[in-house]
Amino acid sequence: MNDEHYMRQCIAQAQAASARGEVPVGALIVDPASGDIIARTGNAPIGICDPTAHAEILALRDAAYKIDNYRLSGLTLYVTLEPCTMCAGAISNARIARVVYGASDPKGGAVENGVQFFSSKSCHSKPEVTSGVLADVCGQLLKDFFKARRKRGGEVRQRGK
């Protein structure tokens, strides 16, 4: 399996998040030794009323629970959008070995944009980073989502409404 294979599965998770009214970001945690997907999820802050429920955070939590260890050493995180500062911090604390992401996020990203968390002195564990995998497809999902939201007047959906 290659990075594009796993990113396509992230895209499916992002599409499912979009269908729920969430910002379309999807994430997977993969064991590169076996190729097994340990966790897969999409954004859910609206659905579960949790501002920390970014796809990356949910995938990290699920993977840690499944392997019964908060350290996810040796594992790879795939995500459709460049992680934000919160997610980059969680990725570092989890000791993820590698991060692969699709679209760059000049406004909210913290890997190649913004604070560039993994390059900072305060970063405990610096994963290998691969960016731009299926970036056009990942970026288009976001563009389409926000374009549709602007057409509806920019409302932000609340759980149950």
Side-chain angles (χ1 to χ4, degrees):
M1 305 291 171
N2 62 24
D3 289 344
E4 286 190 10
H5 168 80
Y6 292 115
M7 190 59 71
R8 288 187 197 291
Q9 295 193 45
C10 281
I11 289 167
Q13 294 298 311
Q15 290 167 328
S18 181
R20 296 188 307 271
E22 304 279 359
V23 174
V25 177
L28 303 176
I29 305 265
V30 175
D31 180 346
S34 65
D36 292 340
I37 297 172
I38 298 170
R40 68 178 85 220
T41 191
N43 266 358
I46 297 166
I48 64 174
C49 292
D50 179 353
T52 70
H54 291 194
E56 301 96 307
I57 300 289
L58 296 175
L60 291 169
R61 287 177 184 159
D62 190 34
Y65 179 78
K66 286 179 178 171
I67 69 168
D68 197 28
N69 193 336
Y70 72 104
R71 295 289 168 96
L72 304 176
S73 303
L75 302 181
T76 300
L77 168 72
Y78 289 86
V79 62
T80 56
L81 182 66
E82 177 182 357
C84 69
T85 305
M86 174 183 69
C87 293
I91 290 163
S92 175
N93 284 319
R95 306 301 195 261
I96 287 286
R98 183 169 178 242
V99 174
V100 179
Y101 68 88
S104 178
D105 186 357
K107 192 172 183 179
V111 177
E112 69 182 40
N113 291 289
V115 300
Q116 299 178 0
F117 185 82
F118 298 137
S119 299
S120 72
K121 290 181 181 180
S122 62
C123 180
H124 301 304
S125 176
K126 300 171 191 217
E128 176 187 331
V129 175
T130 301
S131 62
V133 176
L134 299 177
D136 291 342
V137 178
C138 295
Q140 194 62 50
L141 282 171
L142 290 157
K143 288 175 188 172
D144 292 347
F145 175 83
F146 287 111
K147 182 178 179 181
R149 193 159 99 176
R150 282 189 300 276
K151 281 185 180 178
R152 294 188 309 267
E155 86 280 0
V156 176
R157 195 173 145 242
Q158 294 177 335
R159 185 176 68 169
K161 298 187 181 195

